Amino acid sequence: RAVAFLTQVGQKNEVSLLFDVFLEVMVDEVDNNGRPGTITTIEGPFYVPDAPLMKSPCVLPHRPVEPGPTLFFSGTVRSLDGDGLAGAVIDLWQSDAQGCYSHFDIPRAEAPYNLRARVVADDNGKFDVETRRPGPYEIPKAGPTGALLAAMGRHAWRPAHLHMKVECQGHRTLTTQLFVKN
């Protein structure tokens, strides 16, 4: 049964989805066990490298009529000793208000790098970004990953969230997510 299940996962192109939902979280927890600072999370299947580089304050690239309410996201990137990290780069990506990601659910021709950018923090590590409120989305239920979730009695919804990969020379890269309360 396990081999048949994994064959079906491959045939439905759900390998990344299955790993994202069930395995990568455990690998991340083991890899970062005892690490001080912000809690890490996985990169997930919707990351796209080389998003446009923008200086804070900025507005994330978006479609001319991007749905959803405006979201202002700001913060300070700090080292473990609390100092602001000048020039830190916050690589941001998120779904739109309907839970769709550019390069995956939104055609590149319609909106290249929609709601994605690498934002450079100021000399004190501060950043300010204007974007749209991301929406929750459902993991596909028709495939084997959805069937496994159902068999385990788990729901298929991912809450609204922002993805971040924070980099600064001389510091370990941090990949994390910020969940938005509805």
Side-chain angles (χ1 to χ4, degrees):
R1 285 185 175 177
V3 171
F5 173 75
L6 291 174
T7 299
Q8 189 178 28
V9 167
Q11 291 171 339
K12 298 286 186 178
N13 290 324
E14 287 192 5
V15 173
S16 292
L17 177 63
L18 180 74
F19 280 24
D20 181 39
V21 173
F22 291 103
L23 301 175
E24 287 187 72
V25 172
M26 287 186 279
V27 170
D28 183 67
E29 286 177 7
V30 169
D31 188 40
N32 291 291
N33 188 24
R35 176 184 176 181
T38 301
I39 295 172
T40 62
T41 58
I42 59 171
E43 186 176 279
F46 298 119
Y47 177 71
V48 174
D50 302 320
L53 189 63
M54 306 177 89
K55 188 174 180 175
S56 177
C58 64
V59 178
L60 289 189
H62 59 279
R63 296 171 283 201
V65 184
E66 187 66 42
T70 301
L71 174 70
F72 294 99
F73 175 50
S74 62
T76 303
V77 179
R78 298 185 185 279
S79 66
L80 290 175
D81 62 11
D83 295 331
L85 295 176
V89 177
I90 305 97
D91 194 343
L92 293 167
W93 68 101
Q94 67 175 82
S95 71
D96 69 3
Q98 282 78 43
C100 298
Y101 284 87
S102 71
H103 292 72
F104 296 89
D105 308 305
I106 301 169
R108 285 185 74 178
E110 180 184 327
Y113 295 100
N114 194 62
L115 303 174
R116 297 176 183 272
R118 293 175 294 143
V119 179
V120 180
D122 71 13
D123 291 342
N124 298 310
K126 293 182 180 181
F127 64 91
D128 292 287
V129 176
E130 180 182 322
T131 184
R132 295 296 192 279
R133 185 183 182 119
Y137 56 89
E138 197 170 24
I139 295 168
K141 294 190 289 188
T145 304
L148 182 57
L149 284 169
M152 295 173 69
R154 291 178 54 186
H155 67 80
W157 283 95
R158 291 274 294 138
H161 58 282
L162 301 171
H163 296 270
M164 287 166 266
K165 184 184 288 191
V166 183
E167 299 178 312
C168 188
Q169 188 173 2
H171 298 272
R172 185 174 174 181
T173 299
L174 168 71
T175 302
T176 192
Q177 297 175 22
L178 177 69
F179 293 89
V180 179
K181 186 176 181 180
N182 286 334

